[in-house]
Amino acid sequence: MEINNQFITPMRSWTLEDLRTQRNQRPQESEGATLFKDIFDNVVNNVKVTQADVENKQYLLATGQLEDAHSLPIAESKAAISLNMMITLRNKALSAYSELIKMNT
């Protein structure tokens, strides 16, 4: 019976220098981490944009330059929905993180 050593890596002893370099190395971002970061960045930017739109429409209404008064409540609703989505995403991320921490203990 012949053993295929193609997938077997021989073990070697660890040195103190190996452990130091492993601790100092920063882990690479996985594809999932960058995807979550991009999604979270988009959500935060969406909140900023919708809030800026509300502030602009409030200014226009206060100065009498807003022609359609119904656009302000619509903009406020959009801003509230985007803020609620960001808060929900944050809460889900914190919940998932705490579940991961519980798994390690």
Side-chain angles (χ1 to χ4, degrees):
M1 178 174 182
E2 184 179 322
I3 299 176
N4 188 356
N5 290 334
Q6 182 177 5
F7 297 108
I8 300 174
T9 307
M11 292 180 63
R12 64 179 183 85
S13 62
W14 287 357
T15 63
L16 190 57
E17 188 61 35
D18 291 339
L19 294 175
R20 285 186 189 138
T21 57
Q22 286 178 358
R23 285 185 189 156
N24 293 334
Q25 287 178 350
R26 192 170 172 189
Q28 298 291 329
E29 281 189 2
S30 66
E31 187 175 319
T34 56
L35 178 65
F36 177 76
K37 181 182 174 217
D38 291 341
I39 290 172
F40 202 75
D41 284 343
N42 287 340
V43 169
V44 170
N45 287 335
N46 192 14
V47 169
K48 289 179 182 178
V49 167
T50 55
Q51 186 59 38
D53 186 41
V54 167
E55 290 172 2
N56 183 36
K57 289 193 187 309
Q58 286 174 340
Y59 172 77
L60 292 176
L61 182 67
T63 58
Q65 300 174 18
L66 189 65
E67 294 177 8
D68 50 347
H70 63 276
S71 64
L72 177 60
I74 293 171
E76 289 173 340
S77 296
K78 286 181 182 180
I81 290 170
S82 65
L83 181 64
N84 285 336
M85 184 171 150
M86 184 180 74
I87 291 170
T88 302
L89 185 62
R90 181 210 55 189
N91 290 343
K92 291 290 184 181
L94 288 175
S95 174
Y97 178 75
S98 65
E99 287 295 320
L100 286 173
I101 294 300
K102 286 179 189 177
M103 288 173 56
N104 288 334
T105 58

